[in-house]
């Protein structure tokens, strides 16, 4: 009887983790779009997200709820290049959401398996993908091309940021896999270092982009929406969800199989599309949504192909998804958002 009770408790805990991850992952891209709409300072917004995640890990570590590797200069120096790539991925992600809708973000995010597969084969000497994998990747590409061709809201600025995001998130996925395997940090250590180093880099990008002058001018004149409740609420929600997806992403990954986690990630993308359509008018046209769904179907086929191809391809994709899902949102997330993201930061 006690074993049945234990199994029921474990099943309830696992279900709670999966539901928590699904909600965070599917909502994060929409929340980030909401935040950047209400608080139009992408550099400052991401810095606040980094601060929340790094401080959250540190405080929870002090309270004994989790363990993370302590900060050391030598480790930070080794991790700095990965943190820079991570920062660029989140920076371009946020600016993409600033200039385009969530659907455009999902389409370009869905293209990453194609580029990662090419990069793995060319630079990491991984086996050439199977025929089914190639077919699924070109289904993804076809859906993305159809989306771009029918996008009535097409602007050069938005798609420049989309291409920059695609390049940086692909580079991050390939490079982070190398770092994760060789630097020796635990998962919360990766979250801590990623966000702390990114927070340290934020002022440099404020200067390079000129955002600091906008922030100081707005603050000095008390103009803009600094003191409005909806801006404060949107930023706070974005920061909280960015941290939560790190927790739920890693916890769910440990509690369920890689296949189940991957399927959950795919379902999350569909949920993001549905939520985005119903809550406001910042979404694609019906034809664009059809192309987006076509792209996501290609993603489902891709997951099936790498799952059925054997443990080695599945392991590679698992690490890649861990980074991307929590960036989507965080990636979408602040790990690398990792490390999600499908995330959806």
């Amino acid at each position: 009887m006690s074993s049945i009770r234990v199994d029921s408790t474990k099943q309830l805990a696992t279900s709670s983790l999966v539901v928590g991850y699904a909600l965070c992952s599917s909502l994060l891209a929409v929340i980030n779009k909401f935040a950047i709409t209400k608080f139009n300072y992408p550099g400052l917004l991401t810095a606040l997200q980094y601060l929340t995640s790094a401080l959250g890990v540190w405080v929870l570590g002090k309270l004994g709820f989790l363990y993370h590797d302590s900060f050391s200069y030598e480790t930070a120096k080794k991790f700095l290049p990965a943190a820079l790539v991570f920062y660029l991925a989140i920076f371009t992600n946020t600016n993409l959401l600033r200039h385009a809708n969530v659907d455009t973000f999902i389409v370009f995010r869905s293209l990453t398996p194609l580029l990662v597969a090419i990069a793995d084969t060319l630079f990491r000497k991984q086996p050439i993908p199977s025929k089914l994998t190639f077919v699924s990747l070109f289904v993804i590409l076809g859906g993305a091309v159809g989306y771009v061709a029918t996008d009535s809201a097409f602007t050069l600025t938005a798609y420049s940021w989309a291409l920059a995001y695609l390049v940086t998130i692909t580079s991050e996925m390939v490079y982070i896999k190398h770092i994760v395997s060789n630097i020796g940090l635990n998962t919360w250590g990766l979250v801590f270092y990623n966000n702390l180093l990114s927070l340290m880099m934020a002022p440099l990008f404020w200067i390079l982009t000129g955002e600091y002058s906008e922030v100081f001018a707005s603050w000095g004149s008390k103009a803009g929406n600094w003191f409005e409740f909806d801006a404060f609420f949107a930023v706070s929600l974005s920061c909280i969800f960015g941290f939560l997806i790190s927790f739920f992403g890693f916890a769910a990954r440990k509690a369920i199989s890689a296949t189940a986690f991957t399927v959950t990630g795919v379902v999350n993308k569909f949920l993001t599309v549905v939520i985005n359509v119903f809550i406001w008018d910042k979404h694609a046209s019906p034809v664009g949504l059809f192309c987006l769904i076509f792209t996501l179907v290609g993603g489902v086929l891709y997951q099936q192909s790498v799952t059925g191809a054997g443990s080695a391809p599945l392991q590679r994709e698992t690490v890649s998804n861990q980074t991307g899902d929590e960036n989507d949102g965080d990636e979408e997330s602040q790990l690398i958002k990792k490390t999600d993201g499908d995330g959806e930061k």
Side-chain angles (χ1 to χ4, degrees), residues 105-283:
F105 162 73
I106 294 175
V107 166
F108 277 86
R109 177 65 183 80
S110 299
L111 279 173
T112 54
L114 175 60
L115 296 186
V116 170
I118 294 172
D120 272 347
T121 302
L122 293 179
F123 302 115
R124 301 184 70 243
K125 309 303 180 185
Q126 298 291 347
I128 297 175
S130 66
K131 292 180 180 178
L132 178 57
T133 300
F134 263 121
V135 169
S136 63
L137 291 174
F138 279 99
V139 169
I140 294 173
L141 180 61
V145 170
Y147 179 88
V148 173
T150 59
D151 186 6
S152 59
F154 178 93
T155 65
L156 185 59
T157 301
Y159 276 80
S160 296
W161 281 115
L163 290 174
Y165 169 70
L166 187 58
V167 171
T168 53
I169 193 64
T170 302
S171 302
E172 186 207 25
M173 286 184 175
V174 174
Y175 188 60
I176 287 291
K177 285 190 283 187
H178 171 74
I179 292 296
V180 167
S181 303
N182 294 284
I183 203 166
L185 294 172
N186 69 356
T187 51
W188 285 113
L190 290 168
V191 177
F192 182 67
Y193 271 88
N194 240 346
N195 288 280
L196 182 60
L197 292 176
S198 294
L199 180 62
M200 294 177 180
M201 286 185 280
L204 174 62
F205 281 84
W206 292 348
I207 296 172
L208 291 176
T209 60
E211 185 179 317
Y212 75 97
S213 59
E214 298 177 31
V215 171
F216 286 136
S218 176
W219 179 266
S221 63
K222 292 183 171 53
N225 51 5
W226 287 85
F227 305 100
E228 293 179 6
F229 174 76
D230 55 350
F232 175 80
F233 176 74
V235 172
S236 300
L237 200 62
S238 176
C239 292
I240 292 170
F241 268 73
F243 176 71
L244 286 178
I245 197 170
S246 293
F247 168 75
F248 280 112
F250 286 123
R253 185 177 292 280
K254 290 180 180 179
I256 61 179
S257 69
T259 303
F261 188 86
T262 300
V263 171
T264 303
V266 173
V267 172
N268 291 344
K269 290 191 180 75
F270 284 98
L271 288 176
T272 301
V273 174
V274 172
I275 292 169
N276 189 55
V277 168
F278 277 99
I279 67 170
W280 55 15
D281 60 354
K282 301 179 187 294
H283 55 77

Side-chain angles (χ1 to χ4, degrees), residues 3-58:
S3 62
I4 295 176
R5 210 175 277 125
V6 170
D7 288 342
S8 299
T9 303
K10 184 178 180 181
Q11 186 175 7
L12 178 62
T14 300
S15 300
S16 300
L17 291 174
V18 172
V19 170
Y21 169 69
L23 287 174
C24 290
S25 180
S26 57
L27 286 171
L28 190 54
V30 178
I31 288 173
N32 282 337
K33 176 64 177 178
F34 175 56
I36 200 64
T37 301
K38 296 296 182 180
F39 188 77
N40 197 23
Y41 305 101
L44 182 56
L45 175 62
T46 53
L48 291 172
Q49 292 172 337
Y50 301 140
L51 175 62
T52 302
S53 294
L55 186 62
V57 171
W58 183 80

